[in-house]
Amino acid sequence: MLKSTTRHVHIFAAEVQAEVLYPSDRKLTLDIDPDNEFIWNDVALQKVYSEFERLVAQYSGQALSDYNLRRIGSDLENFIRSLLQKGEIAYNLDSRVLNFSMGRPQVGGSKS
């Protein structure tokens, strides 16, 4: 099964049926932030899914390859980083792994 895994994005050339992945050359499945490193809201998640669909459409007609999946995964990582930098998502400080792989958390200070 073709797949691309980055720290926050897992893409599989597969379909999910009864929580099992079945290889497919017609369907891509996206798993966002499998380690729950971020705090997500529905709007931010929808933005990631929309960006994923846009990137998949951009590669339409090209061969389904490891290289193309890795490019989509890398582009999604950068998109997630932009959401974090804009404050649309935040680090989950209760996550089992505190890696801060997208940059140090921003802490609001009092303005005196």
Side-chain angles (χ1 to χ4, degrees), residues 32-107:
I32 301 170
D33 192 21
D35 292 324
N36 296 315
E37 189 172 338
F38 300 111
I39 298 170
W40 293 90
N41 58 58
D42 290 339
V43 172
L45 278 173
Q46 189 55 50
K47 285 182 180 183
V48 175
Y49 285 117
S50 293
E51 181 66 6
F52 175 67
E53 293 297 326
R54 187 190 71 76
L55 290 167
V56 169
Q58 182 178 332
Y59 286 92
S60 179
Q62 296 184 28
L64 182 60
S65 66
D66 286 328
Y67 178 75
N68 288 340
L69 288 182
R70 282 194 309 271
R71 288 191 64 183
I72 292 170
S74 293
D75 288 346
L76 282 176
E77 280 282 326
N78 289 329
F79 186 78
I80 291 170
R81 179 179 290 111
S82 75
L83 293 176
L84 180 65
Q85 291 171 343
K86 293 177 200 169
E88 295 184 40
I89 61 173
Y91 280 111
N92 177 5
L93 299 179
D94 293 327
S95 176
R96 66 179 179 82
V97 177
L98 293 177
N99 186 302
F100 306 130
S101 60
M102 296 280 197
R104 297 185 56 97
Q106 297 178 15
V107 178

Side-chain angles (χ1 to χ4, degrees), residues 11-22:
I11 302 171
F12 303 94
E15 292 187 57
V16 178
Q17 297 175 8
E19 297 186 27
V20 176
L21 287 173
Y22 293 96

